[in-house]
Amino acid sequence: AAGVIQSPRHLIKEKRETATLKCYPIPRHDTVYWYQQGPGQDPQFLISFYEKMQSDKGSIPDRFSAQQFSDYHSELNMSSLELGDSALYFCASSQYLSSYEQYFGPGTRLTVT
Amino acid sequence: GNSVTQMEGPVTLSEEAFLTINCTYTATGYPSLFWYVQYPGEGLQLLLKATKADDKGSNKGFEATYRKETTSFHLEKGSVQVSDSAVYFCALSVLGGATNKLIFGTGTLLAVQP
């Protein structure tokens, strides 16, 4: 079965640089979520989109922005990167009517040096 | 507010031992409850879920029952295997806007020794 695709899988950036993470949801899933998991931490909700509109916002820094496109894929843009942004970033997708059941991608590991 | 508390690890067991990982929650309304598993170097996999009180979720020998009276969703398995070694996250789903975000517990590392 098709799963959530995230790219890139690994990314190394320097402080103050920018990064773009991409997420391709499972076919026919219209809702996308982004989570951040720091080392040894639990995943923290960042932001979600339904039908290309932002639905909910969590602890996402102002330096980050995200959007969902017409093909339902989503991109997380991160600017002025800080060392503390080093984490595993997960994307999850669901169908709106069963949005309590989210399927996670393999994550993008971002390292900021 | 909404939160999840789960027992701290690591939990170290011998193969074929009985597993319990405790999870309690605080939530407004009626959340759905989940257990996710994360194997080393991998993403999160949904292990099981329960959407209303007294529901029992089960998968791969793991079980958890949604107990509204005790606000708990403890994970159990009768006989663990080395391959069950992973981090287990309890989570609840709360409605935010038009979508349901997940709130996770801190995770419990399970190490099963042969």
Side-chain angles (χ1 to χ4, degrees), chain A residues 58-77:
Chain A
S59 49
I60 183 170
D62 292 340
R63 300 176 289 107
F64 294 7
S65 65
Q67 57 182 330
Q68 185 181 33
F69 295 86
S70 57
D71 64 350
Y72 297 111
H73 94 272
S74 178
E75 295 183 5
L76 177 65
N77 299 292

Side-chain angles (χ1 to χ4, degrees), chain A residues 58-111:
Chain A
S59 49
I60 183 170
D62 292 340
R63 300 176 289 107
F64 294 7
S65 65
Q67 57 182 330
Q68 185 181 33
F69 295 86
S70 57
D71 64 350
Y72 297 111
H73 94 272
S74 178
E75 295 183 5
L76 177 65
N77 299 292
M78 311 159 72
S79 62
S80 303
L81 287 169
E82 302 173 355
L83 295 178
D85 296 329
S86 296
L88 196 53
Y89 290 83
F90 288 110
C91 172
S93 74
S94 70
Q95 287 184 309
Y96 172 67
L97 291 178
S98 57
S99 65
Y100 58 82
E101 190 161 333
Q102 298 177 24
Y103 295 85
F104 282 75
T108 293
R109 184 169 296 282
L110 172 66
T111 302

Side-chain angles (χ1 to χ4, degrees), chain B residues 58-77:
Chain B
S58 61
N59 186 26
K60 300 180 182 179
F62 290 89
E63 293 183 342
T65 301
Y66 189 147
R67 301 285 188 201
K68 187 169 181 291
E69 64 277 10
T70 55
T71 62
S72 65
F73 193 56
H74 305 319
L75 182 68
E76 296 182 336
K77 186 175 186 184

